[in-house]
Amino acid sequence: MSRRNAPHGRTGRPPVTSRAQILDAARRLIDRDGWEKLSIRRLAAELGIGTMTLYHHVRDKEDLLLLLITEYADQVPRPDLPGDPRDRIIATATLIHDALAAWPWAAEVLTADGFVGRLGDSVWVVEAIVAGAIDHGCTPEQAVHVFRHIWYYTVGEILVRAHSARQPADAGRDPLFSGLDESRMPRLVAIGDLWRTLSAQDTYAQGLRALVDGLLAQAVPETTSQAASARQGE
């Protein structure tokens, strides 16, 4: 075979024949360089194949990320959930939190509109929270809002901690709030570096319980709210 007709790519590697090989290589790239730098071209180079060959397996970067997240989500054990609706919501949210804490880049991807609804069978966690809210007495609309608030709180907590962990070791050495005018911001100046200590504490579970209790307390069944509105209009 002439050099002109020789196949391109890395030598000494068997051809890629499975989706598992592709996803494994994508995970290596993400772990090494971050998910933002993942691309079909870079993945093809990592595998030693042509870009067009890779397109036979995945449509684009979004499709690739969804495959990775779905595969990971499918590996998360599905526990027996509590019968009490409130406890069921909290247990499911905690499961989501713990899974994303181990793979925080997935939380960033899932913040994009539409990704959660494309998780296939793994969307059972959404069903569990929505169903728990409805079983507690929420309307379907209220249940969706319950999930959304829990989702935003959970993803936000994951991303803040992940981004904080990537800060340089010498970041945050200057006294906190030291430049503030104490006459205008007395509370913050008094708290000072205690803020850093408190921020480092893991209070997700405590905050989740308070959030769920508050959301469920505000979720009034539609028939009740309609009756109240009717009485006010009389």
Side-chain angles (χ1 to χ4, degrees):
M1 181 180 294
S2 67
R3 293 181 62 86
R4 178 182 301 175
N5 296 325
H8 296 286
R10 300 179 182 180
T11 59
R13 288 190 177 188
V16 175
T17 57
S18 71
R19 176 172 291 180
Q21 290 174 287
I22 293 172
L23 296 183
D24 183 62
R27 282 191 295 269
R28 288 199 305 269
L29 285 176
I30 291 174
D31 291 339
R32 188 174 71 211
D33 304 322
W35 73 273
E36 300 93 336
K37 295 184 179 180
L38 178 66
S39 68
I40 297 298
R41 185 181 298 276
R42 294 189 69 189
L43 180 57
E46 176 75 13
L47 290 163
I49 62 174
T51 304
M52 295 309 298
T53 301
L54 190 54
Y55 277 120
H56 289 300
H57 297 271
V58 292
R59 293 191 301 272
D60 50 30
K61 177 179 177 177
E62 181 177 299
D63 184 46
L64 176 61
L65 291 171
L66 186 64
L67 288 172
L68 281 167
I69 294 172
T70 301
E71 181 194 51
Y72 176 67
D74 288 343
Q75 295 173 1
V76 176
R78 183 170 181 173
D80 293 329
L81 296 175
D84 178 75
R86 180 255 190 191
D87 294 342
R88 196 187 321 152
I89 292 171
I90 292 175
T92 306
T94 301
L95 180 70
I96 295 173
H97 173 272
D98 293 348
L100 290 178
W103 235 19
W105 71 264
E108 295 195 47
V109 175
L110 289 171
T111 57
D113 289 338
F115 261 98
V116 170
R118 296 169 57 192
L119 289 178
D121 290 341
S122 300
V123 80
W124 71 264
V125 293
V126 182
E127 165 72 17
I129 292 177
V130 170
I134 292 175
D135 290 346
H136 189 273
C138 296
T139 66
E141 293 81 3
Q142 292 167 345
V144 171
H145 290 309
V146 167
F147 171 78
R148 286 178 59 246
H149 290 305
I150 292 172
W151 175 246
Y152 296 158
Y153 168 65
T154 300
V155 171
E157 200 269 352
I158 292 293
L159 294 184
V160 168
R161 292 199 175 277
H163 292 167
S164 298
R166 293 201 294 264
Q167 290 184 348
D170 59 349
R173 288 185 177 179
D174 295 334
L176 199 63
F177 305 134
S178 60
L180 295 180
D181 183 346
E182 186 173 1
S183 65
R184 298 178 58 195
M185 310 282 185
R187 302 300 185 188
L188 291 181
V189 172
I191 291 172
D193 277 345
L194 179 61
W195 188 286
R196 287 197 177 99
T197 302
L198 296 175
S199 297
Q201 296 176 358
D202 183 1
T203 59
Y204 173 78
Q206 175 185 346
L208 175 65
R209 291 192 295 270
L211 176 62
V212 171
D213 288 342
L215 291 172
L216 294 180
Q218 294 180 34
V220 181
E222 186 175 12
T223 54
T224 302
S225 62
Q226 285 179 338
S229 298
R231 286 195 298 270
Q232 292 176 359
E234 291 177 353

